[in-house]
Amino acid sequence: MMTGALLSTTLLTKRFGGLEAICELDFSVKESSIVSIIGPNGAGKTTCFNCITGFYRPDEGEILFLDRSLIGLTPHEIAERGVSRTYQNIRLFGNLTALENILAGHHCRMRSTIGDALIHSTRHIREERESLEEANQVLVFVGLQGCGDTLACNLPYGEQRRLEIARAVACKPRLLLLDEPSAGMNPNETRNMITLIRRLRDELGITILIIEHDMHLIMTISEYVTVLDFGRKIAEGTPRQVQAHARVIEAYLGKARPIA
Amino acid sequence: MQPIQKLVTQISSKRWLMVALGVLGIVLILGLPMLPIPQKNLWVRIIGYAGLYILLGLGLLIHVGMTGMLDLGFAAYYGIGAYTAAFLLSDHFGLHLPFWLVLPIAGLVAALVSMLVCIPVLRLRGDYLAIVTLGFAEICRLLFLNLKPITNGSQGIMGIDKPLLGDIVFKTGTHFYYLIFLLLVLFIFLTNRLVKSRTGRAWMAIREDEDVAEISGIDTSRYKLLAFAAGAFLGGLSGAIFASWQGSIFPDNFNLMASINILCLIILGGLGNVYGVVIGALALIALPDMLRGLSDFRMLIFGILLIVMMILKPEGFLPRIPPKLESAHPADVQEGQ
């Protein structure tokens, strides 16, 4: 195993009935890196995210984040430890405004209680002011200035993607899991997304773990790629190494067979 | 049809007009018991009763409108509050505690019971939760009816004490009218504060998407419990006032129709808006009473009104107005509202 890993899994296994969605998966993510998981549909990528974020409890294996186990923690406890995520199909708080979405994401970094809110304690007032300030900064960071008071469900698709990232960033994560961040985007939007992901790492110091199908995006920004097929790791390495790997080509394109 | 819809949107989008209407409404309501109008006591009673339903509606608004937990059994908390007050304020158990002490106790008992109900069903969502709450309310009503040694069954509990403030005994409807008005001002103010707080946002996030709320670091179980307790507290409070005002309570006061009425009024008023509850309660509780002169036609007119409303403005009279929070220059952010 790599040393200095922010997140690492050992022998991670998750079964659904007889189906092994993930099987004895070992991988790790170095602090301040941009790492990808790729693989054909049904390879277990999203299941892996669900295990890390605590929505699924793995059947076997260990997940360590900052050298502490995440197994058995609830998703909100994991969020508090510093892991946040976005979804393949965008999931926002549709009837709240963009800024309210970001403020809700900031929830676990706030402390005021229902009592503080009722009496408007100094803690409540200070925290609300600071959070709003930060939320506005996050809004500008992802390039949504001017859309802060728009209901999330009324934003165009690409901006919903950015808002989802903004909401996740508002949790102040150490590790951000992005599930197909460029799904359904045109090449121009994908380029902007690549820039945004890079800025998340370079300017905010967030480690990024991406699931993606868009090979251009993967090959451009990942520093390390893990390839899954049928729940097993079949290859890992730099994008260039993976690209040339025989089993990866086989998983995506099938085995070369002599023509009969 | 179209012009009416336009008018409603126009009115609700003009802030000064809303404020003016609000002030006018408050002056009218405060002055009502002093106006020289025929059948004054009846009017005071009707509006006071609507006020009680506004308080109930505020409680249910926290469950359904803010946290998105469809609660079809809100009358249970109303009943628990009323029976708690009746036990502590009558000859039934020979306890005659001061009303002002019993009022919060009734709220707290209802809140506690709601949390006990909530714990096993925290994982349920939507329809499933609705069924559980519906069942719970029926269980409560049947307990009120059949636990004769404690609740006196269908004969109910009579002779419940009136509140006492200094030398004044709250004998007339007018006294309760002002008591309810004061509590309403207080709780509308507090609910509004909650809406704009970390807690309120957590509730709304749970309403919108529970999984995403959880991954955003919101302890959804805890906030759902909190929402249940806060809503039930208001229900219990209303129950205590009801018990003391009527002087007697019966199991049938807290039947399914009561739950449905409260739900209807917040849907009519607009889920997610505190002032919507006020309009909803006036339309749904006071209007049928005002139309009493039309005898048999009143429920018909009322039903038609409801249907027309749902066609023209399905989101309710006053839907939620999203807050304006974006600052022009993030460097010098003004304090948000």
Side-chain angles (χ1 to χ4, degrees):
Chain A
M1 199 182 300
M2 280 193 270
T3 47
L6 180 67
L7 175 90
S8 62
T9 69
T10 28
L11 297 174
L12 190 70
T13 301
K14 174 71 194 172
R15 298 185 197 92
F16 294 108
L19 177 82
E20 282 193 319
I22 311 179
C23 184
E24 300 185 344
L25 181 64
D26 290 332
F27 81 98
S28 55
V29 179
K30 252 198 272 188
E31 175 106 58
S32 310
S33 57
I34 299 179
V35 177
S36 311
I37 301 179
I38 62 170
N41 284 328
K45 307 180 296 286
T46 300
T47 306
C48 180
F49 270 22
N50 282 334
C51 287
I52 296 170
T53 52
F55 276 102
Y56 292 157
R57 201 194 169 103
D59 294 298
E60 281 158 43
E62 181 63 272
I63 303 171
L64 291 178
F65 179 72
L66 292 166
D67 298 323
R68 286 158 78 198
S69 175
L70 294 183
I71 306 288
L73 296 185
T74 58
H76 74 261
E77 287 166 334
I78 292 173
E80 209 155 316
R81 293 259 180 106
V83 180
S84 81
R85 74 171 288 184
T86 65
Y87 288 84
Q88 192 174 342
N89 47 333
I90 305 169
R91 288 173 76 172
L92 290 164
F93 307 125
N95 291 313
L96 303 186
T97 65
L99 270 171
E100 283 180 304
N101 268 271
I102 298 174
L103 283 170
H106 196 59
H107 179 94
C108 64
R109 302 295 169 230
M110 295 170 78
R111 284 292 155 264
S112 62
T113 61
I114 185 170
D116 290 316
L118 289 177
I119 61 169
H120 265 206
S121 68
T122 45
R123 172 162 74 167
H124 168 88
I125 293 169
R126 175 174 44 83
E127 217 174 55
E128 283 293 314
R129 195 184 54 231
E130 287 169 2
S131 303
L132 190 58
E133 223 165 288
E134 275 184 50
N136 268 296
Q137 282 163 7
V138 174
L139 190 79
V140 174
F141 185 86
V142 298
L144 285 178
Q145 56 273 36
C147 304
D149 295 327
T150 313
L151 290 186
C153 60
N154 292 339
L155 286 172
Y157 182 85
E159 299 183 348
Q160 289 192 357
R161 282 256 172 236
R162 287 166 175 275
L163 179 58
E164 207 189 6
I165 291 178
R167 188 202 62 222
V169 165
C171 293
K172 299 205 173 150
R174 298 280 296 267
L175 174 68
L176 177 58
L177 312 182
L178 300 174
D179 198 342
E180 298 200 20
S182 76
M185 287 186 163
N186 64 34
N188 193 24
E189 287 170 322
T190 305
R191 263 196 303 280
N192 292 337
M193 184 54 77
I194 291 173
T195 317
L196 177 61
I197 294 172
R198 281 223 174 95
R199 284 177 59 217
L200 288 175
R201 196 265 308 261
D202 298 340
E203 293 173 30
L204 303 178
I206 301 171
T207 309
I208 312 269
L209 177 60
I210 309 176
I211 293 177
E212 188 48 82
H213 279 301
D214 186 310
M215 284 303 145
H216 168 67
L217 186 141
I218 295 289
M219 297 306 158
T220 316
I221 59 173
S222 342
E223 286 149 13
Y224 204 76
V225 181
T226 303
V227 190
L228 298 187
D229 192 24
F230 292 109
R232 287 165 196 276
K233 182 167 76 181
I234 56 170
E236 62 184 330
T238 61
R240 204 156 292 284
Q241 287 169 337
V242 165
Q243 232 166 356
H245 201 285
R247 287 200 57 193
V248 178
I249 297 167
E250 188 190 312
Y252 272 93
L253 300 173
K255 204 180 272 189
R257 224 178 300 169
I259 299 160
Chain B
M1 293 284 167
Q2 213 57 34
I4 305 173
Q5 193 177 12
K6 227 172 153 183
L7 192 71
V8 172
T9 14
Q10 262 176 6
I11 291 176
S12 49
S13 65
K14 286 205 173 64
R15 204 182 161 76
W16 63 268
L17 198 57
M18 296 300 288
V19 172
L21 278 175
V23 170
L24 186 70
I26 287 173
V27 169
L28 261 180
I29 284 172
L30 273 181
L32 177 70
M34 295 157 209
L35 291 178
I37 48 170
Q39 287 189 304
K40 195 175 71 183
N41 286 340
L42 181 67
W43 279 96
V44 166
R45 191 171 172 78
I46 290 173
I47 304 292
Y49 199 58
L52 202 59
Y53 268 81
I54 297 174
L55 204 54
L56 284 165
L58 280 179
L60 190 61
L61 188 75
I62 294 176
H63 289 182
V64 182
M66 291 178 70
T67 324
M69 302 184 295
L70 183 52
D71 186 345
L72 294 182
F74 200 72
Y77 314 119
Y78 187 34
I80 290 167
Y83 269 92
T84 307
F87 292 155
L88 299 176
L89 287 174
S90 69
D91 285 332
H92 189 64
F93 286 130
L95 289 168
H96 290 278
L97 301 181
F99 176 82
W100 307 109
L101 181 67
V102 171
L103 192 61
I105 290 177
L108 288 175
V109 168
L112 200 70
V113 173
S114 80
M115 283 167 93
L116 291 179
V117 181
C118 186
I119 289 167
V121 299
L122 271 176
R123 288 169 168 277
L124 299 185
R125 298 177 189 183
D127 311 352
Y128 301 99
L129 185 68
I131 296 294
V132 171
T133 52
L134 185 70
F136 171 66
E138 272 305 281
I139 291 171
C140 282
R141 190 183 62 85
L142 289 172
L143 285 178
F144 298 148
L145 193 62
N146 293 321
L147 271 181
K148 284 201 178 116
I150 303 172
T151 64
N152 207 19
S154 56
Q155 262 108 60
I157 297 174
M158 315 257 204
I160 300 164
D161 297 344
K162 303 285 177 199
L164 198 73
L165 193 67
D167 296 336
I168 312 164
V169 183
F170 283 36
K171 325 187 266 293
T172 67
T174 312
H175 291 126
F176 281 97
Y177 183 91
Y178 284 120
L179 170 65
I180 290 169
F181 181 80
L182 277 179
L183 285 176
L184 271 183
V185 171
L186 175 68
F187 283 107
I188 287 176
F189 175 70
L190 290 180
T191 315
N192 262 333
R193 279 194 162 180
L194 277 188
V195 175
K196 290 171 196 154
S197 73
R198 174 175 181 252
T199 310
R201 280 192 301 271
W203 284 342
M204 290 188 286
I206 291 170
R207 176 190 72 199
E208 295 294 316
D209 191 325
E210 210 171 315
D211 291 337
V212 180
E214 182 79 28
I215 198 64
S216 303
I218 295 166
D219 187 343
T220 52
S221 306
R222 200 168 137 226
Y223 277 90
K224 279 162 85 174
L225 267 181
L226 194 61
F228 246 102
F233 180 82
L234 289 176
L237 221 59
S238 318
I241 298 169
F242 174 77
S244 181
W245 187 6
Q246 300 283 316
S248 57
I249 52 167
F250 306 95
D252 235 28
N253 295 138
F254 316 106
N255 60 10
L256 180 63
M257 256 335 270
S259 298
I260 300 294
N261 268 336
I262 307 166
L263 186 64
C264 274
L265 78 86
I266 64 168
I267 291 175
L268 191 74
L271 286 175
N273 191 320
V274 173
Y275 303 104
V277 179
V278 177
I279 295 183
L282 289 177
L284 208 79
I285 306 301
L287 199 61
D289 272 331
M290 293 176 196
L291 293 175
R292 213 169 271 275
L294 298 168
S295 67
D296 290 346
F297 291 105
R298 72 187 178 103
M299 286 321 271
L300 181 71
I301 294 171
F302 181 62
I304 292 172
L305 261 178
L306 261 187
I307 294 170
V308 169
M309 176 68 201
M310 284 297 109
I311 293 169
L312 287 184
K313 213 163 157 63
E315 69 275 30
F317 275 114
L318 285 179
R320 188 173 102 94
I321 302 162
K324 296 267 174 270
L325 297 171
E326 185 164 6
S327 55
H329 307 287
D332 54 88
V333 180
Q334 302 287 309
E335 195 185 321
Q337 7 174 314

